[in-house]
């Protein structure tokens, strides 16, 4: 286990290293010079690390916003955070070991399927599979009662299938967004993206894109992507700070004036977006040509399935539409679903941004601006409904030494769907077979 843990902890779970090794392998296969191999590997890793730095800045800016949101609206409920569920799960050494084994197994199954079937997708989002692995172990062992070995094997197979299935389902729309087949989407929120694309197609007008907004001369500055984002985000931060009040904001702001701090956090969000998009451009410019070597030799016809920010440069205005109107949908869902006997779910602001923004890019590709607005609200309802459905099952998970998960629920709707698959199908099946 020592060697396996080292590989998982230092290589497989480190997306920058994985992508660097992929780029290096591709360049070596193409018989590039030593200088080109070093340059391509370094710039690929640097591009991803720049992207990750931008994501960290955005996450850091959204954390106080999430606190102000809950305090300002005076709500309590299950916290929608797949990261929090993972943090609790990893406190148990046995659960952590099993998650690591499933995580490694997912990569192996993914490569086998890509090599020997028509699904030529290699999932290179290093973070998402660990959430799928976590769901497999928590629900396989803690809810269905599988032994550790069966749970690991089932989780690896199901996770590996998901790593090719979801990119394949999304690819027709990704092709429309990017104008090529060079990259695929590797992010386990795909069901929400496909729903958004479908709703937008039914309700929108593809000829009127979110990116074609015309501004009066006095507002021409809004044609700059980052100023446009800031014109929405800064007022949102200020409104939430006012609703939460100076005492709540002071927990993050310290001695700074709470309104000034809110304005600076809104601008910090825009800084994070700028850094993220810069990293995306560098990553794609280096990784896609290098990956061609692997596609030719190791997995003929393979496409790299990358994290959702790789699409952000194609429709940056849509990201703002997605965040705002997905949040509207999740707030409606927060109060709507308890009417039907489901728990109240406090929206996951980071999920609203990353998943909501990507869903809006999908929606814009199929239904333009009007479709994006309608589809983003529906998307918000959808990504609040699934966490509400899975929350009661999380509370039923019992594994010796594992703290209770009743205060949380999961985001990333593909992982939630997998959890519901365990709860609704595999659990009754295991009971029927006496497992």
């Amino acid at each position: 286990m020592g060697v396996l843990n080292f590989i998982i902890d230092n290589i497989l779970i480190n997306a920058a290293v994985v992508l660097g090794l992929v780029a290096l392998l591709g360049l070596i296969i193409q018989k590039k010079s030593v200088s080109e191999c070093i340059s391509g590997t370094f710039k690929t890793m640097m591009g991803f690390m720049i992207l990750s730095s931008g994501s960290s800045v955005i996450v850091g800016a959204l954390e106080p916003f999430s606190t102000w949101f809950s305090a300002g609206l005076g709500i309590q409920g299950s916290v929608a955070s797949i990261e929090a569920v993972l943090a609790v799960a990893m406190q148990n050494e046995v659960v952590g070991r099993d998650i690591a084994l499933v995580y490694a197994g997912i990569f192996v199954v993914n490569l086998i399927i890509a090599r020997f079937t028509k699904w030529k997708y290699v999932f290179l989002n290093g973070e998402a599979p660990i959430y799928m692995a976590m769901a497999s172990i928590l629900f396989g062992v803690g809810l269905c009662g599988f032994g550790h070995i069966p749970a690991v094997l089932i989780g690896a197979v199901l996770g590996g299938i998901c790593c090719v299935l979801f990119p394949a389902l999304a690819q027709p729309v990704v092709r429309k967004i990017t104008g090529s087949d060079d990259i695929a989407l590797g992010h386990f929120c795909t069901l929400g993206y496909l729903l958004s694309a479908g709703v937008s197609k039914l309700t929108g007008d593809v000829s009127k894109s979110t990116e074609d907004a015309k501004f009066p001369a006095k507002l021409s500055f809004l044609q700059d992507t980052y100023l446009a984002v800031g014109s929405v985000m800064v007022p949102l931060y200020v409104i939430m700070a006012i609703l939460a009040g100076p005492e709540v904001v002071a927990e993050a702001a310290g001695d700074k004036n709470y309104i000034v701090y809110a304005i600076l956090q809104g601008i910090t969000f825009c800084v994070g977006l700028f850094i993220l998009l810069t990293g995306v451009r560098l990553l794609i410019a280096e990784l896609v040509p290098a990956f061609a070597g692997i596609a030719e030799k190791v997995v003929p016809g393979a496409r790299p399935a990358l994290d959702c920010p790789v699409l952000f440069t194609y429709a940056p205005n849509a990201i703002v539409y997605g965040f705002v109107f997905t949040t509207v949908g999740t707030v409606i869902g927060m109060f709507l679903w308890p009417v039907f006997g489901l728990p109240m779910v406090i929206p996951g602001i980071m999920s609203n941004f990353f998943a909501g923004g990507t869903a809006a890019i999908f929606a814009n590709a199929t239904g333009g601006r009007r479709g994006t607005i309608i589809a983003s609200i529906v998307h918000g309802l959808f990504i609040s409904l699934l966490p509400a459905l899975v929350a009661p099952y999380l509370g039923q998970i019992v594994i010796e030494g594992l703290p209770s998960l009743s205060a949380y629920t999961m985001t990333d709707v593909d992982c939630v769907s997998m959890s519901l698959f365990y709860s609704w199908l595999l659990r009754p099946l295991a009971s029927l077979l006496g497992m």
Side-chain angles (χ1 to χ4, degrees), residues 48 51-52 54-55 58 125 183 185-187 193 273 276-281 283-284 306-314 319 353-355 358 361:
F48 181 82
L51 182 160
S52 297
S55 296
I58 290 172
N125 179 344
I183 60 172
L185 178 65
H187 193 227
Y193 304 154
L273 183 61
L276 184 149
L277 295 182
T278 300
V280 167
R281 294 186 185 100
L283 175 66
I284 291 177
L306 304 170
D307 201 355
C308 62
V310 299
L311 300 181
F312 283 9
T313 57
Y314 295 97
I319 300 169
F353 174 73
F354 287 103
T358 309
I361 294 171

Side-chain angles (χ1 to χ4, degrees), residues 239-310:
I239 290 169
M240 285 302 159
I242 291 172
L243 289 175
E247 292 184 1
V248 173
V249 178
E251 294 176 9
D255 295 333
K256 295 186 181 70
N257 177 273
Y258 77 111
I259 299 297
V260 173
Y261 181 77
I263 292 171
L264 292 176
Q265 287 299 104
I267 296 173
T268 299
F269 178 95
C270 298
V271 171
L273 183 61
F274 177 86
I275 297 170
L276 184 149
L277 295 182
T278 300
V280 167
R281 294 186 185 100
L282 179 58
L283 175 66
I284 291 177
E286 297 297 328
L287 180 62
V288 171
F291 193 82
I294 294 174
E296 292 170 5
K297 302 291 184 180
V298 181
V299 184
R303 298 184 187 93
L306 304 170
D307 201 355
C308 62
V310 299

Side-chain angles (χ1 to χ4, degrees), residues 404-426:
S404 172
L405 294 164
S406 58
Y408 304 102
T409 188
M410 295 166 61
T411 49
D412 292 19
V413 293
D414 300 343
C415 294
V416 177
S417 299
M418 179 62 73
S419 302
L420 293 174
F421 175 76
Y422 273 86
S423 304
W424 293 346
L425 183 63
L426 294 188

Side-chain angles (χ1 to χ4, degrees), residues 21-62:
L21 291 174
V22 167
L24 177 60
L25 178 60
L27 293 167
I28 291 173
I29 289 173
Q30 295 176 73
K31 299 181 179 179
K32 297 293 185 180
S33 67
V34 173
S35 175
E36 289 174 312
C37 288
I38 293 173
S39 174
T41 303
F42 178 79
K43 288 183 178 179
T44 296
M45 295 179 69
M46 186 170 73
F48 181 82
M49 293 177 74
I50 292 171
L51 182 160
S52 297
S53 297
S55 296
S56 297
V57 172
I58 290 172
V59 168
L62 286 175

Side-chain angles (χ1 to χ4, degrees), residues 306-387:
L306 304 170
D307 201 355
C308 62
V310 299
L311 300 181
F312 283 9
T313 57
Y314 295 97
N317 289 350
I319 300 169
V320 180
Y321 281 81
F323 175 62
V324 172
F325 290 104
T326 290
T327 299
V328 170
T330 56
V331 171
I332 294 172
M334 178 177 64
F335 296 106
L336 176 62
W337 305 131
V339 173
F340 297 94
L342 295 172
M344 176 176 282
V345 172
I346 299 173
I349 298 300
M350 284 176 280
S351 180
N352 286 357
F353 174 73
F354 287 103
T358 309
I361 294 171
F362 270 62
N364 183 59
T366 59
R369 186 167 58 248
R370 183 177 69 220
T372 298
I373 293 172
I374 297 170
S376 294
I377 294 173
V378 173
H379 178 254
L381 288 167
F382 181 66
I383 68 170
S384 64
L385 172 60
L386 263 65

